[in-house]
């Protein structure tokens, strides 16, 4: 669904009028394209708090951006990476201010701020206080930085383990991700043979991929080299076949809630599976007082129970290979709650519980399990939302606009990458830093 307001504010009369009226002026986001695969401008690398993260300079150099310590006079950097992993005191936090205050205004529209922090110490409460302070700092900066710019915190002890994450956050692929805190564990990263085709040789299954976000996920995984199996309900057979065919993939018409769904998936993938994307989802909104049991049951079945059942079965049968990646779909409604969505929010919060508990257990098999939590994304699902609520949903985030399916797809592709082995058990919101939820 077209966001006419966004287009209007992109024109000279629109900018003038909305400026005079004090209305929001969302910036047009620059997303990845083959012609514009990188941010345009240099990358500033700064350090606060003394001990820098080993190997970070090399990782940043490999992003393809020109890395500098100080911008030339008049230069507008496209990104700043602040290594604050060594900040352990309030005095160290002053260095965070000192490093970013002079440059934040000069960042290009759509520019990126990435702060690197350390895991919170269990023994040193001064370190924990200083490191947790970075979270409040980054979330606030995301809210005030404007003009399509974003800010994130990545907690890591290893620059190389964080390479795939830094590449994602410092690229146009993360245009609609802001205000996130991502923890990267120190695993030996399996860097892909090619960062341009990181999923080459991998097989992916995307549920609910006849249309909407799922179709975009299937297309993005295909772009990154994966062979994709597209699954959707038999009623969407024709749309599903078109999507799969356009990607050179395979269509699997199947209701994911069918009792034999996992067996049929396993049978369709005799050589196994590397990437499992649980994207199929439904809404059946009513306030609880008006919600019949069947509305509750169908949403919980599609959005949560089928995810639990198929995940268990595909792990047990070994269909999901060692080193595999699972990406499930939560929602900001599952974090913040939403009127009329007790069923939907319960199902999406359940996904977060699943991710937190199962992910660490999968780590020993080299498998990761993460969730994307979309905010307002322009799809058929949100087109059905009444106009005023839809307009509020679009604007109530730091970027002042709804996201596109491709924003969720890019985030999924990053989590699915072999290089993202250190990203496990995370819930990453793709919501333009929505005002709803943490
Ligand atoms: P959509 O309705 O456009 O697409 C969902 C797809 O899932 C459809 O093709 C549908 O046929 C399929 N599906 C539904 N039930 C199924 C079943 N039992 N078996 C197999 N396939 C089934 O929705 P979308 O907006 O693309 O949403 C995709 C996912 O993202 C969902 O999990 C949704 O809850 C989540 N999400 C979307 C938004 C948003 O703003 N659009 C926000 C938060 C979360």
């Amino acid at each position: 669904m077209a966001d006419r307001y966004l287009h209007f504010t992109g024109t000279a009369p629109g900018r003038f009028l909305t400026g005079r009226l004090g209305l929001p002026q969302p910036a047009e986001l620059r997303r990845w394209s083959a012609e514009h695969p990188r941010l345009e401008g240099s990358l500033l690398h700064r350090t606060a708090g003394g001990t820098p993260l080993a190997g970070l300079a090399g990782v940043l150099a490999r992003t393809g951006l020109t890395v500098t310590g100080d911008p030339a006079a008049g230069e507008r950097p496209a990104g700043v990476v602040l290594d604050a992993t060594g900040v352990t005191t309030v005095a160290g936090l002053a260095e965070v201010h000192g490093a970013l205050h002079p440059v934040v205004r000069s960042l290009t529209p759509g520019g990126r701020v990435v702060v690197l922090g350390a895991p919170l110490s269990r023994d040193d409460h001064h370190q924990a206080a200083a490191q947790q302070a970075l979270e409040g700092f980054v979330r606030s900066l995301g809210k005030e930085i404007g003009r399509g710019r974003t800010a994130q915190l990545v907690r890591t002890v290893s620059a190389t383990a964080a390479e795939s994450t830094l590449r994602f956050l410092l690229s146009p692929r993360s245009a609609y991700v802001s205000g996130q805190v991502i923890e990267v564990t120190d695993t030996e990263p399996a860097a892909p043979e090619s960062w341009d085709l990181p999923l080459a040789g991998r097989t992916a299954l995307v549920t609910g991929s006849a249309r909407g976000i799922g179709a975009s996920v299937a297309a993005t995984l295909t772009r990154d080299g994966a062979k994709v199996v597209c699954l959707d309900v038999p009623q969407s057979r024709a749309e599903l076949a078109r999507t799969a065919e356009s990607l050179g993939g395979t269509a699997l018409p199947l209701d994911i809630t069918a009792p034999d769904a996992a067996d049929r998936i396993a049978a369709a993938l005799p050589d196994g599976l590397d990437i499992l994307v649980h994207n199929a989802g439904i809404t059946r909104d009513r306030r609880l007082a008006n919600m019949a049991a069947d509305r509750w049951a169908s949403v919980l079945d599609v959005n949560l129970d089928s995810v639990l059942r198929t995940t268990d079965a595909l792990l047990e049968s070994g269909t999901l290979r060692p080193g595999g990646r699972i990406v499930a779909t939560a929602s900001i409604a599952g974090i913040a709650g939403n009127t009329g969505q007790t069923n939907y929010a319960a199902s999406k919060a359940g996904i977060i519980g699943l991710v937190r508990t199962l992910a660490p257990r999968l780590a020993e098999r080299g498998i990761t399990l993460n969730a994307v939590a979309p905010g307002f994304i322009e799809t058929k699902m949100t087109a059905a939302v009444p106009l005023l609520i839809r307009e509020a949903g679009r604007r109530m985030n730091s970027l002042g606009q709804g996201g596109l399916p491709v924003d969720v797809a890019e985030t999924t592709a990053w989590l699915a990458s072999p290089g993202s082995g250190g990203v496990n058990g995370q819930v990453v919101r793709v919501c333009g830093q929505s005002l709803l939820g943490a």
Side-chain angles (χ1 to χ4, degrees):
M1 163 141 308
D3 182 347
R4 294 209 178 86
Y5 181 82
L6 175 63
H7 290 302
F8 180 59
T9 52
T11 65
R15 247 189 323 275
F16 173 76
L17 193 67
T18 50
R20 291 298 288 267
L21 293 172
L23 293 171
Q25 294 187 310
E28 190 105 36
L29 301 182
R30 271 275 293 279
R31 295 176 166 88
W32 183 93
S33 69
E35 296 75 41
H36 298 287
R38 288 196 187 83
L39 298 178
E40 273 161 30
S42 59
L43 177 65
L44 272 184
H45 174 186
R46 302 211 144 175
T47 306
T51 327
L53 191 62
L56 181 59
V59 168
L60 297 183
R62 290 198 289 275
T63 60
L65 298 167
T66 308
V67 185
T68 67
D70 258 313
E75 187 187 344
R76 304 198 66 181
V80 191
V81 171
L82 175 65
D83 176 359
T85 52
V87 171
T88 55
T89 61
V90 175
L93 288 171
E95 293 182 34
V96 172
H97 172 270
L100 292 181
H101 165 73
V103 295
V104 76
R105 198 173 278 143
S106 66
L107 262 189
T108 54
R112 307 283 198 266
V113 177
V114 177
V115 176
L116 294 177
L120 268 57
S121 167
R122 286 171 190 268
D123 315 314
D124 178 354
H125 54 286
H126 288 250
Q127 187 270 7
Q131 285 296 324
Q132 185 68 29
L134 294 176
E135 191 168 323
F137 169 78
V138 162
R139 291 198 202 274
S140 300
L141 184 59
K143 289 185 176 179
E144 68 183 35
I145 196 167
R147 306 192 69 187
R149 302 172 180 119
T150 63
Q152 338 276 349
L153 174 63
V154 178
R155 289 203 178 108
T156 187
V157 292
S158 156
T160 43
E163 178 160 355
S164 83
T165 302
L166 286 168
R167 283 174 177 261
F168 171 66
L169 296 176
L170 294 169
S171 81
R173 297 169 198 242
S174 59
Y176 197 62
V177 177
S178 192
Q180 296 308 288
V181 178
I182 297 157
E183 306 208 352
V184 180
T185 52
D186 188 14
T187 49
E188 196 56 52
E193 269 171 39
S194 152
W195 285 100
D196 291 330
L197 278 178
L199 306 182
R202 309 218 156 202
T203 302
L205 175 83
V206 186
T207 70
S209 50
R211 65 176 200 209
I213 294 172
S216 188
V217 170
T220 304
L221 299 183
T222 304
R223 176 203 67 190
D224 284 357
K227 239 178 64 196
V228 179
V229 179
C230 299
L231 179 154
D232 212 297
V233 286
Q235 300 92 295
S236 300
R237 191 181 293 271
E239 209 176 357
L240 179 69
R242 270 198 303 278
T243 305
E245 202 175 305
S246 71
L247 301 174
T250 316
L252 181 58
L254 175 64
D255 186 329
I256 197 70
T257 64
D260 62 345
D263 292 342
R264 290 181 53 194
I265 292 170
L269 292 158
D271 297 329
L273 181 65
D274 303 292
I275 300 161
L276 170 60
V277 182
H278 293 292
N279 162 81
I282 59 168
T283 51
R284 296 286 182 271
D285 297 356
R286 283 281 189 282
R287 283 168 187 264
L288 182 63
N290 303 323
M291 188 183 293
D294 63 329
R295 285 186 171 256
W296 177 273
S298 57
V299 168
L300 269 291
D301 199 15
V302 176
N303 296 2
L304 182 57
D305 212 8
S306 75
V307 174
L308 290 163
R309 283 194 307 266
T310 47
T311 301
D312 287 351
L314 294 174
L315 285 169
E316 245 165 58
S317 64
T319 304
L320 193 73
R321 286 193 272 253
R325 302 279 180 261
I326 310 174
V327 183
T329 307
S331 162
I332 57 166
I335 297 170
N338 202 14
T339 303
Q341 292 201 311
T342 52
N343 52 356
Y344 183 75
S347 71
K348 296 301 189 180
I351 291 291
I352 296 172
L354 154 70
V355 164
R356 294 217 172 115
T357 292
L358 184 55
R361 284 197 246 140
L362 296 179
E364 60 201 46
R365 288 155 76 176
I367 296 175
T368 66
L369 165 60
N370 295 285
V372 287
F376 184 100
I377 306 293
E378 307 277 356
T379 66
K380 268 196 175 168
M381 192 181 263
T382 46
V385 173
L387 178 69
L388 282 179
I389 300 177
R390 188 165 70 225
E391 194 48 27
R394 273 186 181 136
R395 304 296 157 225
M396 279 172 50
N397 59 72
S398 299
L399 298 173
Q401 59 197 288
L404 300 181
V406 73
D407 297 320
V408 183
E410 294 283 16
T411 307
T412 303
W414 152 59
L415 295 170
S417 165
S420 298
V423 187
N424 193 21
Q426 303 296 297
V427 178
V428 182
R429 293 170 44 171
V430 186
C431 65
Q433 199 181 21
S434 169
L435 297 181
L436 300 179

